[in-house]
Amino acid sequence: MTMSILTNILAITTTLCFFTNSYQPKPYYHSLYTSPSLTNNESISHHLYILTRRPHLAGTTANAEAASHVLSTLSANNIQSHLAEYAVSLTYPDSRSLKLTRPPPEPPTTFDLQQVVYKDDPYADVADQVEPTFHAYAKSGTVNGPVAYVNYGRVEDYTTLQETGINVTGSIVLARYGEIFRGDIVENAYEAGAIGVLIYSDRKDYGGGGGGAKWFPMAGWPSSMEGCERLSEDEVEKAGDVPLIPSLPISGADGEQILRSIGGVVAQDDWQGDNDAPVYRIGPGPGVIELSYKAKQVIRTIQNVIGIIEGREEPDRFIILGNHRDAWTFGAVDPNSGTASLLEVAERFGKLQKKGWKPRRTIIFCNWDAEEYGLIGSTEWVEENQEMLASKVVAYLNVDVAVAGAGFHAYATPQLDQLIIEVIKQVQDPDNSSQTVYDSWVKAIENPEIGRLGGGGSDYVAFVQHIGVPSTDMSFGSAYPVYHSMYDDFVWMNKFGDPLFRRHLAAASIWGLLALKLADEEILPFNYSSYAYELQKSAEDLETELSGSSNISLIPLFKSIEKLNKAAVRINDKIKEIKEKNRWEFMWKNENEACRMREVNDRLMLAERAFTDQDGLPERPWYKHLIYAPSKHDNYGSKGFPGVDDAIENANKLNTKDSWRSVQHQIWRVSRVITQAALVLYGELT
């Protein structure tokens, strides 16, 4: 009897010891995630090198090979992975020419439009695989006309020209890149009467800007491999979703040479270049440009790589990490610094799994294709899986460019602000080991703020602006001199962007910690008080803008924001109550308590969906989010209450009773979705 009891006790003790060794509380794994034992800058450097050995434009064999590398890396780290393929319309350059004619005795200049291979360039042997410079979906055609300088080609720049009495109708305009999306530069030029567009990177701006394009129409259904409904080229052109005049990107040197051929009025000071640049004049002429471009349009297969770590307790709730893989050329910065960081996160998660970690919620890795052509891969996937994603996605965490230089930048829907700040306080600054990323962020910027995801520059667009998913985007560095050129290669990154790959490791640490907290914390770390505060600021700005419009009432907007704020306070109190009641961690909670937490989490997750409206924005119905969407004239820019902003712009032009009534209608629409979000947070029927 004694031996039997002793044997049972030993058996129980052994079982408990085994369980203790195989299971650790979630914070243990979160702390382990950033430890030196799991991080590996050599591995992340190797991934970037492999991904950037060849140019890998969407639809090419080289990009398919890069997809295979991503797929095999995810699979090797115990992440179930597959390809999601789509047959989509892509364009490539077939022929291009550019000729400048100046008054005699100056001879005409025919530009070679080539990116030069520099001495000892280690990628010289594959330089011929780089496609000639072009704009995706640019219109084919030959145009001839005097050249006019239009600064950044913004709406306000054309307004300045108009006020000066300068007409660019029939001209080919020269615009410097850096302030707005290149597609909008072309569209604005067309609306101003120009017949062609040249976009150059001014030395003063270093090219600037970010990735992405909106030129391909967002049709609203996936281009599946088995066949799908397709729009004709004529239908796409009539819809205004592609440019209607020819355009071409050119180098800063070629742009400067063309600038020297322009006479007329001297441009104002803020239109001028750096100290070594010539005096910028507006024209048009006397220089005359002949621009010819011919595109080839094809249906090509693109490949998203999808990897899944299934959650243990809540497998039907998704945390998605996304980055695109396709590049205009080698893409060491844009986008493969992000891809290498994604693979670093995957490898660390693989190591955590070996140590016993399993996420509470499902984590999904998405490596997108054809982002540079207009966010195609992510948009196709979201449209194909829309109903399931709308009901199950907790958050989407995007990284496009992970590293372009020093300095941390973050963007998010507001309920995630506090989580980002909490995470960057836990990650060591890659350029100063004595402080955190948060410390360096607040010291470097006078009033550090997390930006908003209203622009259309990367793959968060379909998640935020189409189906209403809480999302983030982040990077180290911003504008960099080799943007979208063939010099964006591993050599530049290794010498200038991140020689020790510490910034890549920091990006992976922040990205992964965000995912871990969203995947593992029992109560989702959302705070809608931040959202209410952000909306209040936007409403006050709108009030200032409309101060002279006595017939417009913002009372419904302010009342709806007040409701949201009260709902946010109430659910925060509810979360505090639940945490107080369960402050001692138990492995198993009773069923009622689990259901209670799940219900609160559903409210936190779905409140963002309530900011969307099925009818979308006026004339832009694909964009469903009434709080955040791109500016109508700058796809990279962001406007709070975009429908209201569009209506105000129209009313200022027409100044009719109906146009101002439309402004009031859009204010009511925004007020209604904010009220709906408040009701979701309350979780009670009216």
Side-chain angles (χ1 to χ4, degrees), residues 507-534:
S509 292
I510 296 169
W511 202 0
L513 274 180
L514 285 171
L516 286 171
K517 289 181 179 295
L518 288 163
D520 287 342
E521 291 193 9
E522 291 179 327
I523 302 292
L524 293 175
F526 289 175
N527 188 336
Y528 279 89
S529 293
S530 298
Y531 224 125
Y533 173 75
E534 191 74 17

Side-chain angles (χ1 to χ4, degrees), residues 235-527:
E235 287 174 314
V236 171
E237 188 165 298
K238 285 180 178 178
D241 290 315
V242 292
L244 300 175
I245 53 177
S247 67
L248 199 66
I250 61 174
S251 70
D254 290 350
E256 189 169 297
Q257 187 168 352
I258 293 171
L259 279 164
R260 294 178 186 276
S261 76
I262 301 175
V265 176
V266 174
Q268 58 197 52
D269 289 346
D270 59 347
W271 287 37
Q272 296 294 329
D274 64 17
N275 293 333
D276 296 325
V279 174
Y280 291 4
R281 296 177 181 271
I282 296 173
V288 173
I289 287 288
E290 181 181 286
L291 163 64
S292 181
Y293 176 75
K294 183 181 179 182
K296 49 186 176 184
Q297 188 161 348
V298 297
I299 301 295
R300 290 280 177 88
T301 298
I302 63 169
Q303 299 175 316
N304 296 333
V305 184
I306 311 296
I308 301 171
I309 304 176
E310 188 172 18
R312 175 178 283 153
E313 290 86 0
E314 298 183 75
D316 62 336
R317 290 294 179 261
F318 303 158
I319 314 300
I320 302 180
L321 293 81
N323 152 267
H324 78 95
R325 180 187 66 258
D326 65 295
W328 286 121
T329 60
F330 296 98
V333 175
D334 182 9
N336 299 128
S337 62
T339 315
S341 298
L342 185 74
L343 297 181
E344 168 71 9
V345 174
E347 289 180 342
R348 292 196 215 176
F349 282 3
K351 294 172 185 176
L352 288 182
Q353 289 187 82
K354 289 180 179 179
K355 294 180 181 294
W357 168 77
K358 188 75 173 177
R360 178 182 184 87
R361 303 178 184 93
T362 295
I363 294 175
I364 303 176
F365 291 85
C366 295
N367 184 229
W368 310 117
D369 203 348
E371 187 269 0
E372 297 291 8
Y373 276 85
L375 320 178
I376 296 178
S378 57
T379 300
E380 296 280 6
W381 191 76
V382 169
E383 289 176 348
E384 184 168 44
N385 298 282
Q386 180 167 334
E387 297 306 318
M388 187 155 52
L389 294 174
S391 63
K392 296 184 178 183
V393 178
V394 171
Y396 174 70
L397 311 178
N398 189 70
V399 171
D400 189 321
V401 171
V403 179
F408 178 72
H409 301 270
Y411 305 83
T413 48
Q415 73 275 65
L416 291 170
D417 286 2
Q418 290 187 10
L419 176 61
I420 292 173
I421 290 171
E422 177 188 335
V423 165
I424 63 176
K425 286 181 177 179
Q426 299 175 37
V427 176
Q428 185 183 84
D429 177 58
D431 298 304
N432 187 341
S433 60
S434 66
Q435 60 188 23
T436 66
V437 172
Y438 176 80
D439 295 330
S440 63
W441 183 56
V442 297
K443 289 177 182 177
I445 305 172
E446 186 175 346
N447 294 303
E449 290 185 347
I450 292 172
R452 298 297 160 227
L453 295 176
S458 195
D459 291 299
Y460 55 78
V461 166
F463 289 93
V464 178
Q465 298 162 14
H466 191 58
I467 61 174
V469 171
S471 300
T472 68
D473 188 40
M474 68 160 197
S475 67
F476 280 91
S478 52
Y480 58 101
V482 296
Y483 174 68
H484 280 189
S485 74
M486 67 180 287
Y487 313 112
D488 179 10
D489 57 22
F490 184 83
V491 172
W492 187 88
M493 180 63 75
N494 198 36
K495 285 186 175 181
F496 305 107
D498 193 13
L500 299 177
F501 285 84
R502 289 174 180 164
R503 293 168 185 161
H504 282 78
L505 291 180
S509 292
I510 296 169
W511 202 0
L513 274 180
L514 285 171
L516 286 171
K517 289 181 179 295
L518 288 163
D520 287 342
E521 291 193 9
E522 291 179 327
I523 302 292
L524 293 175
F526 289 175
N527 188 336

